[in-house]
Each structure stands twice: as C-alpha cells, then as structure tokens.
Amino acid sequence: MRAVRVLQGRLFTSGEAFLRAVAHAHGPVCAVLDLRMPGMSGLELQKKLVDLGRDIPLFFLTAHGDVPAAVNAMQMGAVTFLQKPFNAQEFLDAINRILRQAADDYADRQRKAQFRQRLARLSAREIEILEAITKGFTSKEIARIYAISPKTVDVHRANVLRKMDVANAAELQRLVSDFGVPSGTKKAGP
C-alpha cells in the first residue's frame, strides 16, 4: 500500500492578507500565485516579498500569462510558471518542487540561526581565536599574534570548539565557510 501525503494549505483573499500571515509564519512557506489577484497582482506581491527580504518559493499558475510576465516572475525567483489549463501531473510536480525547496530553505535558515546562536556565546577573544583557527594558524602562531601563551590559546580553542558544538578545527572551518562570521562581531584588542 502506498503512503498518501496530505498537504496543508491556506487560501488568502488578497496579496495583502498573505503578507500579513507570512509575517508571523513559522516553518516552511511557499505560495501559488496568479498574475491577476484582488488588490495587488501576483508580480506585485512577488516584488514586495523580494523587497521585504522574504525568500519564499513561488509558483505562478495563471490563465493570463504571457512570455514577458513569465520571464519577469522567473527573474525575480519564481520556481515555476504554468498556464491554465494545465496538465495535472505538471501541476503536482511543480507543487512538490516548491514544497521541497521551502523545506530546504527552512532547514538552511534553522542551521544559520543555530550557528548565530552558537557564535553569540563566544567572547570577543574567542571570536578572534575562531577566525585564526579557520585561517589555519597553529596555537603557537595565534599565541604570537595576540601576545598570549600557547596554553591560553589551547584553552580558548577548546572553548570555541565546545561552544560551536564541533569536534575539530576542520568541522569548524566547514561551518564558518558555510555561514561566515558576520562583520561587526565582537572583537577584543590584540
């Protein structure tokens, strides 16, 4: 017997109503839009989402599409653009694509938030040690740079690895290469 996947969806009466709801959304979010909707158009809603920095996978389904509208939607990041009448399998494939993308995007945002939380636990000196570790410096080299003892560096290094929840410097480098250390992160003097 094949498992059936149940999709939960919400219908909104306008783009404005969707924007209000998405501002408080938790978890993966994606949307199926039409070019012609009450209030703002689908393209206007997409532009508003882009302007707000909300990277939500969008699928345009419309009876009023043309090539320039489709190109515009895709250039602004729409995942799919289908014209009505549509093929049922194409529709389901497109829905599955945006659902997968929404889940992947949400998981990436969660990982980035966890990284930032871990980073926030570091002292200014530990941030400096983290940056030096990710540049490949040894404890002795770090000690010379910051005029501290190698044993002190080793203590900071151990604290960085523990607070960042990684096993070794290679894992820390992968984490930092994925997310980077935000500029303006607290720093101690050398």
Side-chain angles (χ1 to χ4, degrees):
M1 188 166 148
R2 215 171 132 195
V4 175
R5 189 166 118 184
V6 177
L7 303 177
Q8 284 189 317
R10 288 183 59 193
L11 179 65
F12 294 93
T13 57
S14 67
E16 293 84 356
F18 175 75
L19 286 172
R20 283 191 299 276
V22 82
H24 306 290
H26 300 287
V29 175
C30 56
V32 177
L33 304 176
D34 198 339
L35 289 178
R36 294 185 184 172
M37 302 187 317
M40 70 174 71
S41 73
L43 289 173
E44 290 169 334
L45 174 57
Q46 182 182 28
K47 178 155 181 11
K48 186 77 169 169
L49 288 167
V50 168
D51 292 346
L52 293 171
R54 297 300 308 250
D55 189 19
I56 296 172
L58 301 176
F59 166 14
F60 278 86
L61 180 65
T62 187
H64 307 288
D66 56 22
V67 172
V71 168
N72 192 8
M74 299 302 275
Q75 285 177 337
M76 284 198 299
V79 176
T80 301
F81 193 102
L82 285 181
Q83 290 235 204
K84 296 175 190 172
F86 55 87
N87 172 289
Q89 190 58 53
E90 274 186 281
F91 175 78
L92 290 174
D93 291 346
I95 291 292
N96 283 319
R97 246 188 332 274
I98 68 168
L99 288 172
R100 269 192 310 277
Q101 185 173 340
D104 291 347
D105 291 351
Y106 179 72
D108 287 345
R109 283 192 305 276
Q110 292 299 100
R111 283 191 295 274
K112 191 170 194 167
Q114 288 171 349
F115 173 76
R116 285 186 183 139
Q117 288 170 350
R118 292 176 194 162
L119 200 60
R121 294 187 290 202
L122 300 179
S123 69
R125 177 62 81 189
E126 289 167 344
I127 294 285
E128 292 173 337
I129 301 298
L130 174 142
E131 290 175 335
I133 292 169
T134 60
K135 290 177 182 171
F137 292 122
T138 66
S139 290
K140 286 182 182 180
E141 291 169 326
I142 297 169
R144 273 195 302 274
I145 292 167
Y146 293 108
I148 56 179
S149 78
K151 286 189 184 233
T152 302
V153 172
D154 289 339
V155 168
H156 286 307
R157 178 187 291 263
N159 287 339
V160 168
L161 295 178
R162 179 180 48 78
K163 289 179 180 179
M164 294 303 291
D165 196 24
V166 293
N168 53 47
E171 221 178 295
L172 182 65
Q173 282 179 314
R174 276 192 301 277
L175 196 60
V176 170
S177 74
D178 286 348
F179 300 112
V181 177
S183 61
T185 304
K186 53 191 170 192
K187 294 235 186 201

